[in-house]
Amino acid sequence: MNNIDHQLAEKWILPKSRVLDLGCGDGTLLEHLQKNLGVTGYGLEIDEFKINQAIAKGLNIIEQDLNEGLARFADNSFDTVVMARALQAVKSPDQLLIDMLRVAKEGIVTFPNFAYWQNRVYLGIKGIMPMSETLPHEWYNTPNIHLCTFKDFERLCDDNNIRILDAVAISDKPNPKLPSALLNRMVKRVPNLLADVAVYRIAKN
């Protein structure tokens, strides 16, 4: 997660709350939250190298494939579940979202927006699946099996009785030719076109 993701997490996560970080990687976000907000909790990760990095930071990490779900955790075990840029890589995103809101009061989900204008141009001109810093893999070896857009995610939430509390559109690679304030206003107005990363805060209806 980048600095913008950290800022949003700090804004939405209460101090000293219980947090579960799905696909936590090397534990950068969880470490940040522990140091700055005094949260407690766990990270779930499948990559052994990243697990060792996270454990070296003094974090509580469980080795687990997110496709196995969250059955090991009881209802309302946490205040917030965070899943950063992993939604599109799981087999059943709808079921995992439901499970997230079973074990926690709220969820924070981020994912690459496939409707981003550069992806549209790439696909339209080159005729092949787009690649970028946000989507760095070839179509045949990508872990991203359920790419979606802002509108797709909002329809998914509506279909599963999930309430959207906040939504933020992020441009990971700002245009240096545009003033940041102007770019931010443009991204907020048409996020499905101009943002390459979506961030949502969700809860049960």
Side-chain angles (χ1 to χ4, degrees):
M1 294 181 86
N2 60 29
N3 289 333
I4 298 176
D5 295 325
H6 286 181
Q7 291 168 19
L8 289 172
E10 282 191 74
K11 176 182 176 182
W12 291 340
I13 294 175
L14 294 174
K16 302 189 183 303
S17 59
R18 298 162 297 164
V19 174
L20 179 64
D21 188 358
L22 306 182
C24 68
D26 64 2
T28 298
L29 175 63
L30 197 55
E31 180 186 38
H32 177 84
L33 293 173
Q34 285 190 357
K35 287 181 177 179
N36 291 276
L37 296 179
V39 307
T40 57
Y42 297 88
L44 265 58
E45 178 56 50
I46 194 171
D47 186 301
E48 187 173 342
F49 178 72
K50 292 178 180 177
I51 290 171
N52 290 333
Q53 288 180 307
I55 291 174
K57 296 174 181 175
L59 304 174
N60 296 316
I61 306 299
I62 298 171
E63 183 175 359
Q64 182 180 320
D65 186 338
L66 296 183
N67 290 312
E68 297 173 2
L70 306 177
R72 69 167 67 227
F73 301 108
D75 294 2
N76 301 313
S77 299
F78 302 92
D79 296 298
T80 305
V81 177
V82 180
M83 181 165 56
R85 310 193 190 193
L87 179 72
Q88 73 284 351
V90 298
K91 293 179 181 177
S92 301
D94 53 342
Q95 294 304 311
L96 187 54
L97 286 176
I98 292 168
D99 218 9
M100 286 172 61
L101 296 178
R102 176 187 64 80
V103 303
K105 299 172 184 175
E106 295 184 0
I108 297 174
V109 181
T110 80
F111 56 88
N113 171 34
F114 193 65
Y116 181 51
W117 73 269
Q118 289 188 4
N119 294 337
R120 301 186 194 201
V121 171
Y122 196 111
L123 184 58
I125 293 177
K126 295 189 176 184
I128 59 176
M129 288 294 286
M131 292 181 63
S132 64
E133 287 188 18
T134 307
L135 299 170
H137 302 279
E138 294 280 4
W139 68 269
Y140 53 82
N141 63 11
T142 180
N144 300 321
I145 57 176
H146 289 298
L147 290 166
C148 67
T149 71
F150 280 80
K151 291 183 178 180
D152 287 324
F153 183 79
E154 289 170 8
R155 287 179 60 188
L156 174 63
C157 289
D158 188 54
D159 290 344
N160 289 278
N161 202 30
I162 294 171
R163 181 159 48 107
I164 295 173
L165 303 176
D166 287 290
V168 176
I170 295 176
S171 178
D172 256 3
K173 293 185 69 177
N175 189 328
K177 297 180 181 179
L178 290 176
S180 58
L182 174 60
L183 178 62
N184 289 337
R185 287 198 298 272
M186 292 170 61
V187 170
K188 287 180 181 178
R189 182 165 295 181
V190 280
N192 214 41
L193 180 65
L194 297 181
D196 56 343
V197 178
V199 185
Y200 282 88
R201 178 175 165 233
I202 58 175
K204 285 175 285 193
N205 256 331

